[in-house]
Amino acid sequence: MKKTNTLTLIFFLALNYSCSQESISVKYSNTITENNLKDLLYVYASDEFEGRETGKKGQKLAVNFLRDFYKENKIDAANNTDDYFQKLRINMPGKSITVPYTFPDSVRTFRKKMFGENWLETENVAAIIKGSEKPNEYIILSAHLDHVGKRGTDIYNGADDDGSGSVALLEIAQAFKMAEMEGNGPKRSIIFLHVTAEERGLLGSGFYVDNPLYPLEQTITNLNVDMIGRVDPEREAKNTDYIYLIGSDRLSSKLHEVSESINKSTVNLDLDYKFNALDDPNNFYGRSDHYNFAKNNIPVIFYFSGTHEDYHGPGDDPDKIMYDLLTIRTKLIFHTAWEIANMEETIKVDVE
């Protein structure tokens, strides 16, 4: 009889803890608002940023904007960065050589002779909120900071691609920071990683996994956010309260279960796995930055709302973003990250 009572007590304590965590998560998710996202995106996807083309003036404005946000919110720079920047150089003719650009002059001279002037200097931006109990387990939230820039007199602002993901990360980071300041910081560490040169072939995220700021073997999950601000006009189901999820079950069934459960208990979006099929002809699984983490056996979820008529076009502007949808999708990502960061079990790759 005593044993039964003990088991019952443990069950109810676990249930109460779970409910408590969920209510705390909801509290901080409510700091993610349409107005905040809109204010951020109207700056980030403005003409002033000139389409954020890798290595160009507008991309420099973008990385400074991201860095300044983290500084203003007192969110720490990631280790081994230069004031939040992980610097790299890209050799454009080959598009395959990425190297740090903190070289001594002798090495710069050598590389100039070898490769000429066809180098772009660019940056990933990385911030961190350290875990309170398991600081050496890392969750990476990623979004690409660049877009395609200008074509003639047209500016390709990339409000959805990937301004939407970029500002979503900022709002999520701010919510986690508020939680930390009130004594409810995450148990595991959360890295907010804005990667460069996605439009040139996932180069910024590729550089990160080749030169990780924190050990990949201690990186348990990557949640990647790329285009979550509009709706897919080709989607057969015409409801708008959906999100495409890609990759959630490819490496870890536990990650998939957590994702499904948290969605159901919080925002309850329609989770659409259309593009998760192994034979998907679009191959979206291989077309955004999560792929470089998945290749390194790190479980991923790619959050995506689909392409549209303004994809990689000059019409991808902030006035076309559906801010109510952007907000609820951002909240889903926050809730999922919160659960992964605070749950007792660690997300792991399935054993075959």
Side-chain angles (χ1 to χ4, degrees), residues 254-279:
K254 183 63 180 178
L255 177 61
H256 182 71
E257 291 167 8
V258 168
S259 170
E260 288 264 336
S261 174
I262 287 300
N263 174 64
K264 189 174 294 185
S265 64
T266 56
V267 298
N268 200 28
L269 285 173
D270 180 2
L271 303 184
D272 191 327
Y273 296 98
K274 172 183 177 180
F275 295 121
N276 191 48
L278 293 174
D279 60 352

Side-chain angles (χ1 to χ4, degrees), residues 185-256:
K187 292 181 179 179
R188 295 177 175 86
S189 295
I190 302 179
I191 301 166
F192 302 93
L193 178 65
H194 301 261
V195 291
T196 190
E198 188 269 357
E199 301 289 2
R200 294 186 180 274
L202 315 184
L203 298 183
S205 56
F207 181 80
Y208 181 90
V209 299
D210 288 340
N211 304 271
L213 301 175
Y214 300 92
L216 292 186
E217 60 270 19
Q218 293 166 220
T219 301
I220 63 172
T221 312
N222 168 233
L223 306 181
N224 183 51
V225 192
D226 193 351
M227 298 180 64
I228 60 165
R230 292 177 61 171
V231 297
D232 179 358
E234 302 298 321
R235 186 169 178 265
E236 291 183 11
K238 296 305 177 186
N239 62 309
T240 60
D241 58 336
Y242 76 93
I243 189 73
Y244 292 124
L245 294 192
I246 302 172
S248 63
D249 62 351
R250 297 278 184 109
L251 293 171
S252 172
S253 55
K254 183 63 180 178
L255 177 61
H256 182 71

Side-chain angles (χ1 to χ4, degrees), residues 293-305:
F293 292 95
K295 286 196 301 184
N296 282 273
N297 222 30
I298 296 169
V300 303
I301 303 178
F302 173 24
Y303 296 89
F304 177 55
S305 56

Side-chain angles (χ1 to χ4, degrees), residues 93-324:
K95 290 178 61 175
S96 60
I97 303 173
T98 54
V99 293
Y101 68 76
T102 53
F103 296 126
D105 290 342
S106 60
V107 179
R108 287 179 181 272
T109 301
F110 170 76
R111 291 196 175 276
K112 182 176 178 181
K113 288 180 180 178
M114 288 293 292
F115 301 112
E117 300 289 352
N118 296 309
W119 288 90
L120 291 179
E121 296 186 346
T122 188
E123 305 83 11
N124 293 331
V125 181
I128 188 169
I129 294 178
K130 294 178 182 176
S132 59
E133 294 184 16
K134 299 180 180 181
N136 295 324
E137 291 185 11
Y138 303 97
I139 301 157
I140 295 182
L141 274 62
S142 61
H144 71 88
L145 62 89
D146 62 308
H147 194 52
V148 299
K150 297 168 66 175
R151 299 294 183 268
T153 59
D154 290 326
I155 300 175
Y156 290 55
N157 285 318
D160 194 23
D161 185 13
D162 185 27
S164 60
S166 299
V167 299
L169 256 61
L170 297 181
E171 278 288 277
I172 292 169
Q174 189 177 59
F176 270 108
K177 184 62 182 181
M178 289 181 183
E180 181 188 51
M181 291 173 67
E182 294 182 2
N184 294 308
K187 292 181 179 179
R188 295 177 175 86
S189 295
I190 302 179
I191 301 166
F192 302 93
L193 178 65
H194 301 261
V195 291
T196 190
E198 188 269 357
E199 301 289 2
R200 294 186 180 274
L202 315 184
L203 298 183
S205 56
F207 181 80
Y208 181 90
V209 299
D210 288 340
N211 304 271
L213 301 175
Y214 300 92
L216 292 186
E217 60 270 19
Q218 293 166 220
T219 301
I220 63 172
T221 312
N222 168 233
L223 306 181
N224 183 51
V225 192
D226 193 351
M227 298 180 64
I228 60 165
R230 292 177 61 171
V231 297
D232 179 358
E234 302 298 321
R235 186 169 178 265
E236 291 183 11
K238 296 305 177 186
N239 62 309
T240 60
D241 58 336
Y242 76 93
I243 189 73
Y244 292 124
L245 294 192
I246 302 172
S248 63
D249 62 351
R250 297 278 184 109
L251 293 171
S252 172
S253 55
K254 183 63 180 178
L255 177 61
H256 182 71
E257 291 167 8
V258 168
S259 170
E260 288 264 336
S261 174
I262 287 300
N263 174 64
K264 189 174 294 185
S265 64
T266 56
V267 298
N268 200 28
L269 285 173
D270 180 2
L271 303 184
D272 191 327
Y273 296 98
K274 172 183 177 180
F275 295 121
N276 191 48
L278 293 174
D279 60 352
D280 169 35
N282 300 282
N283 188 32
F284 286 123
Y285 182 69
R287 288 172 55 184
S288 192
D289 294 294
H290 61 279
Y291 185 61
N292 282 316
F293 292 95
K295 286 196 301 184
N296 282 273
N297 222 30
I298 296 169
V300 303
I301 303 178
F302 173 24
Y303 296 89
F304 177 55
S305 56
T307 58
H308 42 72
E309 63 274 15
D310 294 315
Y311 174 59
H312 283 180
D316 186 6
D317 292 323
D319 62 326
K320 295 180 181 177
I321 296 296
M322 303 171 79
Y323 289 94
D324 56 339

Side-chain angles (χ1 to χ4, degrees), residues 336-351:
T336 306
W338 180 280
E339 178 66 13
I340 296 169
N342 290 295
M343 60 193 282
E344 290 303 313
E345 185 179 350
T346 298
I347 297 295
K348 293 182 180 178
V349 174
D350 290 341
V351 178

